[in-house]
Amino acid sequence: MAGFSTASGVVEHMLSLADERQVELLKRFFKTGVGDYGEGDQFLGIKVPDTRRVVSQCKALPFNEIETLLASPWHEVRLCGLLVLVAQFEHSAKRAKNNDVAAIACCDSIVDFYLKHAHCANNWDLVDLSVYKIIGEWLMLPSSYSYEKKLATIDCLAASDNLWKQRMSMVCTLGPLRHGEALFTLRYAECHLHHRHDLMHKAVGWMLREMGKRVSVDVLRDFLRCHAHEMPRTALRYAIERLPDEERKQWMTK
């Protein structure tokens, strides 16, 4: 398969991969019914590994072509655009870590573009497969943005009235966790502790569980001592999933 240099070429190819047998399954899985969080989303029925194979052929797309992908009504096409951004960010991040000025500027520009189009990542998989690999890693990279500016950027996502931007603010903290940094996870877990939506309860619990795994189980326990009594049950169950059976029972009784 030859590489793609335009969004129209990518979309044409993805349309040829459509699988009607998968469409109804995906629509149910991603809750596209009336009143559901994914209401009205449209699917081609393409599995993620197949979308990733398309991404491998269009990593050099410029922003204006990626923008076209992100504006697509098709869920899988938007995912393709987001994963192209991930690939481009990862490529530049390798050099940015060594204080390469051009690479740092490139990473910052990808982050700016991603945030400008954050509304296009309008389901949990679109957020989860992209945000920690772009925004999360950016938090730990050299940048033209100060630490305070970065923090203000995530605070803005957290304060949004958009569920997916709120989820971005939580899930992006997996990036710092992979570098052993728990401060962002603690900050946004507390911020979203009383969120009304189950998808945010799962995100908070997931990141806390990862904090215990990747940074320190004692830091997780400290958080639980302060907040287990007020955490939504789903968030608590996710957070303590890797703890010993007897300890999990004790936390659940709190």
Side-chain angles (χ1 to χ4, degrees), residues 100-164:
D100 183 299
V101 175
I104 290 170
C106 186
C107 287
D108 286 345
S109 68
I110 291 171
V111 166
D112 290 343
F113 182 86
Y114 182 90
L115 291 170
K116 179 181 177 181
H117 297 86
H119 61 283
C120 300
N122 57 347
N123 214 313
W124 59 264
D125 64 316
L126 302 179
V127 171
D128 295 359
L129 290 172
S130 62
V131 72
Y132 77 90
K133 293 185 176 181
I134 297 177
I135 305 301
E137 289 297 322
W138 172 70
L139 290 172
M140 305 303 293
L141 283 177
S143 171
S144 63
Y145 291 92
S146 67
Y147 173 82
E148 291 74 20
K149 176 67 173 178
K150 288 183 176 183
L151 201 60
T153 298
I154 312 305
D155 284 349
C156 187
L157 290 173
S160 169
D161 59 3
N162 180 285
L163 172 63
W164 308 117

Side-chain angles (χ1 to χ4, degrees), residues 3-231:
F4 301 104
S5 59
T6 65
S8 60
V10 172
V11 173
E12 182 179 0
H13 179 68
M14 294 189 77
L15 287 171
S16 75
L17 299 176
D19 184 351
E20 284 295 328
R21 296 170 298 178
Q22 293 291 322
V23 171
E24 289 305 316
L25 175 65
L26 291 171
K27 288 170 67 176
R28 289 194 299 272
F29 186 70
F30 288 108
K31 307 293 185 184
T32 63
V34 176
D36 287 336
Y37 58 73
E39 180 178 352
D41 204 355
Q42 299 180 53
F43 290 83
L44 292 170
I46 303 173
K47 295 180 179 179
V48 173
D50 294 323
T51 299
R52 290 191 183 278
R53 278 189 278 275
V54 177
V55 171
S56 71
Q57 298 299 314
C58 58
K59 291 180 180 180
L61 286 180
F63 280 169
N64 64 310
E65 299 292 341
I66 297 173
E67 188 171 42
T68 299
L69 297 180
L70 296 179
S72 172
W74 300 110
H75 186 102
E76 296 92 337
V77 174
R78 297 197 304 282
L79 175 59
C80 180
L82 291 167
L83 293 180
V84 170
L85 286 175
V86 168
Q88 292 183 0
F89 185 89
E90 290 178 337
H91 177 74
S92 292
K94 292 177 182 177
R95 292 180 290 116
K97 291 175 183 176
N98 296 318
N99 291 304
D100 183 299
V101 175
I104 290 170
C106 186
C107 287
D108 286 345
S109 68
I110 291 171
V111 166
D112 290 343
F113 182 86
Y114 182 90
L115 291 170
K116 179 181 177 181
H117 297 86
H119 61 283
C120 300
N122 57 347
N123 214 313
W124 59 264
D125 64 316
L126 302 179
V127 171
D128 295 359
L129 290 172
S130 62
V131 72
Y132 77 90
K133 293 185 176 181
I134 297 177
I135 305 301
E137 289 297 322
W138 172 70
L139 290 172
M140 305 303 293
L141 283 177
S143 171
S144 63
Y145 291 92
S146 67
Y147 173 82
E148 291 74 20
K149 176 67 173 178
K150 288 183 176 183
L151 201 60
T153 298
I154 312 305
D155 284 349
C156 187
L157 290 173
S160 169
D161 59 3
N162 180 285
L163 172 63
W164 308 117
K165 291 183 179 181
Q166 293 168 353
R167 188 172 172 99
M168 283 180 176
S169 72
M170 191 70 245
V171 177
C172 80
T173 71
L174 181 55
L177 288 178
R178 298 202 304 175
H179 295 271
E181 176 57 75
L183 292 178
F184 294 98
T185 298
L186 292 169
R187 180 184 182 90
Y188 296 107
E190 288 189 342
C191 174
H192 294 304
L193 198 61
H194 300 292
H195 199 285
R196 60 184 175 80
H197 204 291
D198 185 63
L199 282 175
M200 287 303 296
H201 301 169
K202 292 177 180 178
V204 168
W206 172 25
M207 290 303 106
L208 290 173
R209 183 185 71 213
E210 290 297 315
M211 182 180 71
K213 171 187 173 184
R214 297 172 182 271
V215 181
S216 168
V217 71
D218 290 330
V219 175
L220 170 60
R221 288 178 176 130
D222 287 344
F223 183 92
L224 294 173
R225 289 187 192 100
C226 291
H227 299 294
H229 66 282
E230 59 180 336
M231 290 175 68

Side-chain angles (χ1 to χ4, degrees), residues 217 220-221 224 239-245 247-248 251:
V217 71
L220 170 60
R221 288 178 176 130
L224 294 173
I240 64 177
E241 194 174 66
R242 293 180 180 273
L243 297 179
D245 289 348
E247 185 177 0
R248 290 205 308 272
W251 287 119

